[in-house]
Amino acid sequence: MKIQTEQFGEVEIAEERVITFDKGIPGFEEVKDYVLIPADALEESPFFFLQSVEQMEVSFFLVDPFTFFKDYNIKLEEQMVERLQLEEPTDAIVLTTVTVKGDISGATTNLKAPLVINNKKQQGMQIVLNNKDYEIKQALFQVDNTAARKV
């Protein structure tokens, strides 16, 4: 099937790649079907676009949070595991939304409410974690304060 996107123009996708968010994504509840598009052609980047197949203007910039936050840990409640029909932990893809205002170096990501996708059943949902350490606007690129100072 062919879809129209703002970032990539017309894109050909296999129908089995369509990910359904039964309840939509908060703020976009009416938009249910998306496709995950790697941000680079070689698929080596941790960044992705979650593109609506229904509305070309609806697209989310996402990142694999484990690339930037090695200690990031989510625990899904049993009802969420059931809703997503997850049989194995490896069936789940966890991504977080990215907000870029101006330069990419100031980008933030929402660690508090990741998107969880069952990669085998093509089902997705956004969840809210009950962890006070995770922020909605967590700086994506951390400043390393241990760097040597120039004298």
Side-chain angles (χ1 to χ4, degrees):
M1 73 189 278
K2 292 182 181 180
I3 63 168
Q4 294 296 324
T5 72
E6 287 189 352
Q7 285 89 0
F8 305 105
E10 187 175 84
V11 176
E12 179 81 32
I13 60 161
E15 288 204 33
E16 58 269 12
R17 287 187 51 206
V18 174
I19 301 163
T20 301
F21 287 75
D22 288 333
K23 296 188 176 188
I25 293 173
F28 299 87
E29 289 85 357
E30 72 286 352
V31 183
K32 310 279 189 206
D33 294 329
Y34 295 85
V35 65
L36 198 57
I37 301 173
D40 72 333
L42 298 176
E43 299 185 23
E44 294 175 353
S45 168
F47 296 100
F48 299 87
F49 290 94
L50 186 67
Q51 174 66 52
S52 166
V53 299
E54 303 157 295
Q55 297 180 29
M56 70 180 277
E57 65 278 359
V58 178
S59 178
F60 298 93
F61 189 37
L62 305 178
V63 69
D64 172 355
F66 304 103
T67 301
F68 293 91
F69 305 95
K70 303 297 183 204
D71 295 333
Y72 188 58
N73 186 20
I74 71 166
K75 181 163 177 53
L76 295 177
E77 295 176 15
E78 189 58 37
Q79 74 180 55
M80 292 179 191
V81 170
E82 289 173 11
R83 275 186 52 201
L84 285 168
Q85 302 173 26
L86 292 167
E87 296 170 12
E88 300 290 331
T90 55
D91 293 348
I93 297 173
V94 177
L95 299 167
T96 56
T97 55
V98 176
T99 302
V100 181
K101 291 185 179 171
D103 188 62
I104 187 80
S105 65
T108 61
T109 191
N110 184 350
L111 295 180
K112 186 78 169 173
L115 297 171
V116 181
I117 299 167
N118 180 331
N119 198 36
K120 291 206 169 138
K121 307 258 184 184
Q122 298 304 97
Q123 292 288 318
M125 66 186 293
Q126 186 171 29
I127 64 170
V128 178
L129 300 175
N130 189 16
N131 184 327
K132 62 180 176 35
D133 295 330
Y134 296 148
E135 297 181 27
I136 293 172
K137 292 189 178 222
Q138 174 66 51
L140 190 57
F141 300 101
Q142 304 296 314
V143 176
D144 185 3
N145 292 326
T146 62
R149 296 183 184 164
K150 290 185 179 179
V151 183

